[in-house]
Amino acid sequence: MIPFGLTSSGEPAQLFVLQDRDGAEIALTDYGATLVRWRAPDRRGQLDDVVLGFNRVEAYAAHTAYFGAIVGRYGNRIAHGRFTLDGRTHELATNNAPAGIPCHLHGGRAGFDRKIWASEFRPHPTQPAVTFRLRSPDGDEGYPGNLDVTVTYTLVGAGELQIDYLARSDRATPVNLTNHVYFNLAGEQTESILGHLVTLQASTYLPVDAGMIPTGEVAPVGNTPFDFRAPCRIGERIEHPNEQLRLAAGYDHNFILDPRTDPLAPAGLVFEPQSGRLLEFRTTEPGVQFYTGNFINGSEVGKSGHAYGRRSGFCLETQHFPDSPNQPSFPSTILRPGQTWTSRTVYRLSTR
Ligand code: GLA
């Protein structure tokens, strides 16, 4: 446990470091249950940090891009910051406004990414882990019910980071938890992610309106720049004159993962040809928000003193679909008392 600075309210934050036998190293902080660092070998064995982030909690508190954080209670957008559940309408903070249209994003003004979580470090020779716990009280950011959340990060070996989520509530509430890590497989100090090759096992995705809320249509990816069923460079089609790419200023869409008999079968791959690093992800979630860092603008200076420019990191946020509480045709995100909400995502780094 290493001191990681003080939050704006003077709370001390801690850093936890996990190492596996292959030389990979992960660092996590209790501020936002955030993944701060992931050092992994390239094809020549050189270690680089492949996730965007900062060296001190003060920088996390000042920034707005959710680098590495757990986002919640509801990751992604809820239209107009409003939803009706069991006949009652709930008002949430509207902390985002694409095209001037206000919505709720990533849990509100002080979402789970801005809280200090309780932590438990579990050293282990082959599977070190950190468990983070948070109570989100009834009324937190407008959400109903006391929600207890547990997130465990385990370095399971062979370059795999497993993230397990669990939540329980004493009133019905929407829940959609994810990790908002930005990867750059060439190293976090590298300019751009446009040369990475992406494969996603997704035949459909969710087009959005001007406010970046899904229209409700489930659109086939075939013959569009959203077809990543075969590997394609991120930069290949990102500037195509496509209405959806224009609305989101690049990729920032939820892809519906094709049904898998084994829910933890690989759902996607990203390959960076220069370093040879390969990122694979698996998840029990039905969707993934593929975001290409379109809103990063060089104002955040990262851990190696390098300013993060537009599209210098990409996210694969495994999750339920945006705005589900207002979209009856989407899989439900409502957690009821007596139920346990669970979710697992695995990211694996290797080389080729
Ligand atoms: C998500 C959203 C993006 C953006 C980032 C944070 O990925 O979909 O539009 O808000 O978070 O900057």
Side-chain angles (χ1 to χ4, degrees):
M1 210 161 77
I2 303 162
F4 197 54
L6 296 179
T7 67
S8 48
S9 56
E11 281 178 282
Q14 310 293 340
L15 192 73
F16 304 88
V17 180
L18 313 181
Q19 275 158 335
D20 78 9
R21 287 193 169 152
D22 313 315
E25 182 191 279
I26 278 170
L28 303 156
T29 175
D30 50 5
Y31 182 75
T34 299
L35 174 58
V36 170
R37 178 159 82 223
W38 190 344
R39 278 161 61 78
D42 68 5
R43 68 158 77 84
R44 287 172 298 275
Q46 187 192 308
L47 289 174
D48 282 304
D49 188 347
V50 297
V51 302
L52 276 52
F54 307 107
N55 283 327
R56 288 181 65 75
V57 77
E58 288 80 353
Y60 279 96
H63 96 128
T64 55
Y66 307 89
F67 290 153
I70 297 294
V71 291
R73 195 178 287 202
Y74 199 96
N76 218 313
R77 295 189 170 80
I78 296 180
H80 312 295
R82 192 182 305 131
F83 66 93
T84 301
L85 176 57
D86 299 336
R88 203 170 139 196
T89 299
H90 298 270
E91 297 284 342
L92 307 170
T94 48
N95 57 320
N96 187 236
I101 307 166
C103 67
H104 180 80
L105 175 68
H106 295 332
R109 297 205 169 83
F112 294 179
D113 60 300
R114 295 192 174 264
K115 315 268 197 215
I116 293 274
W117 296 50
S119 53
E120 189 189 330
F121 182 35
R122 285 187 281 121
H124 185 276
T126 53
Q127 304 212 325
V130 181
T131 293
F132 294 106
R133 289 193 178 82
L134 185 73
R135 159 153 291 204
S136 166
D138 185 27
D140 190 12
E141 294 286 334
Y143 288 101
N146 292 298
L147 183 77
D148 288 306
V149 181
T150 304
V151 177
T152 300
Y153 291 86
T154 310
L155 205 47
V156 289
E160 283 194 18
L161 173 63
Q162 179 174 301
I163 313 176
D164 285 294
Y165 303 80
L166 189 147
R168 290 197 186 95
S169 180
D170 59 6
R171 279 176 66 193
T173 178
V175 177
N176 195 26
L177 301 172
T178 189
N179 181 291
H180 206 301
V181 57
Y182 291 71
F183 290 97
N184 187 325
L185 300 181
E188 57 81 32
Q189 73 296 339
T190 312
E191 219 61 38
S192 157
I193 42 93
L194 295 180
H196 289 55
L197 290 151
V198 172
T199 315
L200 295 175
Q201 306 300 334
S203 312
T204 54
Y205 80 107
L206 297 172
V208 293
D209 63 17
M212 291 189 61
I213 301 293
T215 60
E217 183 201 353
V218 172
V221 296
N223 299 315
T224 77
F226 292 84
D227 192 348
F228 286 98
R229 290 172 297 179
C232 189
R233 275 179 55 240
I234 296 177
E236 184 84 27
R237 304 166 298 188
I238 200 165
E239 300 296 352
H240 272 198
N242 170 283
E243 175 68 357
Q244 283 299 315
L245 290 173
R246 189 185 64 76
L247 288 172
Y251 296 102
D252 191 356
H253 294 79
N254 211 270
F255 287 72
I256 301 181
L257 297 169
D258 291 339
R260 294 140 282 166
T261 31
D262 171 4
L264 284 169
L269 284 176
V270 185
F271 180 62
E272 200 287 303
Q274 248 81 61
S275 63
R277 286 194 188 90
L278 184 71
L279 172 73
E280 176 186 308
F281 76 98
R282 296 180 268 135
T283 184
T284 55
E285 289 297 307
V288 63
Q289 183 86 4
F290 176 46
Y291 171 54
T292 46
N294 312 310
F295 303 127
I296 317 177
N297 59 13
S299 62
E300 327 257 21
V301 177
K303 43 198 157 186
S304 52
H306 169 93
Y308 293 132
R310 184 162 191 241
R311 298 179 179 157
S312 59
F314 68 88
C315 303
L316 290 164
E317 305 157 52
T318 54
Q319 57 188 241
H320 272 58
F321 307 161
D323 197 37
S324 298
N326 294 309
Q327 309 242 7
S329 66
F330 290 175
S332 173
T333 51
I334 305 303
L335 172 68
R336 295 192 177 272
Q339 298 177 332
T340 302
W341 184 94
T342 60
S343 174
R344 171 174 286 178
T345 291
V346 180
Y347 293 108
R348 173 165 191 259
L349 279 173
S350 60
T351 59
R352 172 159 91 190

